[in-house]
Amino acid sequence: MLSGIAATGKLHVGNYVGAMRTWATLQDSYDNYFFIADLHALTIPEAVRPDALRQRTREIPALYIASGIDPARSTIFLQSHVPAHAVLAWIFDCLTPVGWLARMTQYKSKSQSSSPSAGLFTYPCLQASDILLYQPRFVPVGEDQRQHIEITRDIAERFNAMFGELFTIPDPWIPTDGARIMGLDDPTEKMSKSTAEVRSGHAIGLLDPLETIRKSILRAVTDSRTAVDREDLSPAVNNLLTLYQVLSDSTRDQTLERFHGKGYGVLKRELADVASEVIGSIQGRFKEITADPAYIDGVLADGARRAAAVADVTLDRAKRLIGLT
Ligand code: TYM
């Protein structure tokens, strides 16, 4: 199993319930690779702040561990520490038709800015390389990454067909609930790291002060009614119910039963309590982990060695097949 998070901003509860939480639950059943996509953080150069990037590349692995990912059972590493990612990405750049990349919804939405970089356009080839180097069966991600896993499968099949069978075709592993958490301030928009940078009250940051988290939840947008009606849920209320469900480890039915007929204020207060409990304990562990700065450096150095040992073998096989040796 393999997955990663781009080092583009502060991690939020969507990243936790859509991705990290699944990784932690599944880690005992697989051989796991979880990385921090720091090269992916460069695709919008105007947004790159070197000091912040340096800080995130240590903060994110500490959050992985604080969320229950065990470095003894899962390899945790930085993408830029394993050069094979960039080399295979170039091979994929040369193999991937421009038309496939132009169809990517993420490129279409992010390239609205003045002058999109070439890296933003070829980003899916780097992501395919991140994945295929480790030959995973599953890639646990939120719903927004489905298209990226699909193009990864297409690139793998194209390589296998043109140069010989090498890559395992991976499947996405998308949770049934919590795969698409929406913004608290606008239930029509996905909760996102970049929006959280410019709009307070949009996201629940995993490292936000608990008081801020409580306030954002109590101020979350709902709808013109006042009480939960399980037969007729607006997107905003549905989002709050989903968050409650996943953070409290309840089923959908238990959650609907609990809140049916109750006022939105009750739902928000109970969600604020459970969010504070879960995120508070992640923050407690984060503090312990980061108390010794050398600890994360050690985890990343060990992770890079373990990851490179696997990635280099796959890259070598790809180079031989394509005639680069
Ligand atoms: P990124 O950093 O945007 O998101 C990291 C993970 O969090 C999930 N996620 C969400 N889940 C539920 N609700 C949300 N609002 C929400 N927002 C984000 C994402 O689906 C993802 O699983 N391109 C990737 C990083 C990447 C990667 C990879 C992932 C690079 N290489 C290889 C998997 C495998 C990205 O930008 O995710």
Side-chain angles (χ1 to χ4, degrees):
M1 181 166 70
L2 169 136
S3 199
I5 294 186
T8 42
K10 295 183 191 164
L11 299 204
H12 54 65
V13 75
N15 300 129
Y16 176 68
V17 301
M20 290 145 82
R21 188 170 171 272
T22 321
W23 309 351
T25 353
L26 295 178
Q27 71 182 333
D28 286 337
S29 315
Y30 300 96
D31 182 12
N32 317 296
Y33 296 85
F34 300 123
F35 70 102
I36 294 85
D38 53 352
L39 296 174
H40 277 107
L42 309 180
T43 52
I44 303 184
E46 300 81 7
V48 175
R49 280 173 288 125
D51 287 338
L53 179 57
R54 248 187 298 276
Q55 185 195 336
R56 300 256 185 274
T57 49
R58 291 159 138 232
E59 193 176 278
I60 298 173
L63 275 170
Y64 284 4
I65 299 170
S67 303
I69 293 145
D70 174 3
R73 286 178 289 169
S74 297
T75 300
I76 299 174
F77 65 101
L78 295 189
Q79 185 185 31
S80 67
H81 283 178
V82 183
H85 289 240
V87 179
L88 186 62
W90 173 252
I91 295 176
F92 290 163
D93 280 351
C94 296
L95 219 77
T96 305
V98 163
W100 291 8
L101 298 171
R103 278 202 297 274
M104 299 303 287
T105 52
Q106 183 171 308
Y107 178 73
K108 285 193 221 162
S109 64
K110 292 201 174 167
S111 61
Q112 306 299 344
S113 70
S114 48
S115 169
S117 71
L120 185 68
F121 189 62
T122 60
Y123 175 122
C125 297
L126 179 58
Q127 181 154 349
S129 163
D130 299 336
I131 296 172
L132 297 174
L133 279 171
Y134 301 88
Q135 308 275 28
R137 282 288 297 115
F138 298 103
V139 186
V141 285
E143 181 60 46
D144 62 333
Q145 292 298 314
R146 187 186 290 279
Q147 199 187 21
H148 282 120
I149 312 300
E150 275 163 13
I151 194 173
T152 297
R153 292 167 59 94
D154 292 342
I155 292 171
E157 277 165 5
R158 190 168 165 90
F159 183 100
N160 288 352
M162 289 174 77
F163 300 104
E165 281 298 317
L166 170 57
F167 295 115
T168 305
I169 310 299
D171 282 313
W173 201 105
I174 296 175
T176 329
D177 299 293
R180 189 173 173 82
I181 298 297
M182 310 307 281
L184 293 183
D185 60 342
D186 180 356
T188 65
E189 262 182 62
K190 186 192 69 163
M191 186 178 284
S192 101
K193 283 178 266 171
S194 47
T195 310
E197 304 248 306
V198 290
R199 288 199 336 234
S200 65
H202 169 76
I204 300 175
L206 294 179
L207 291 176
D208 283 351
L210 296 182
E211 207 32 55
T212 310
I213 292 178
R214 176 170 288 278
K215 272 194 197 134
S216 309
I217 293 173
L218 295 181
R219 284 192 196 137
V221 166
T222 49
D223 55 47
S224 57
R225 281 165 291 164
T226 52
V228 177
D229 175 359
R230 63 182 298 171
E231 305 305 329
D232 186 14
L233 297 171
S234 63
V237 172
N238 192 40
N239 194 41
L240 298 178
L241 287 166
T242 302
L243 275 173
Y244 180 88
Q245 178 195 330
V246 288
L247 292 177
S248 65
D249 267 326
S250 312
T251 63
R252 184 78 185 156
D253 275 348
Q254 286 167 337
T255 308
L256 290 173
E257 231 151 77
R258 185 183 186 99
F259 292 108
H260 181 63
K262 300 245 173 79
Y264 293 157
V266 175
L267 168 60
K268 286 178 170 181
R269 279 194 296 278
E270 293 204 21
L271 172 59
D273 289 344
V274 73
S276 301
E277 199 183 304
V278 173
I279 297 174
S281 74
I282 293 177
Q283 291 183 358
R285 286 191 295 271
F286 178 85
K287 239 185 180 167
E288 286 168 24
I289 293 161
T290 50
D292 172 12
Y295 173 70
I296 286 295
D297 289 344
V299 167
L300 294 176
D302 181 48
R305 264 193 303 276
R306 279 151 62 185
V310 176
D312 289 348
V313 171
T314 313
L315 176 62
D316 190 57
R317 290 174 64 197
K319 285 169 73 175
R320 281 170 195 276
L321 284 170
I322 213 163
L324 284 176
T325 290

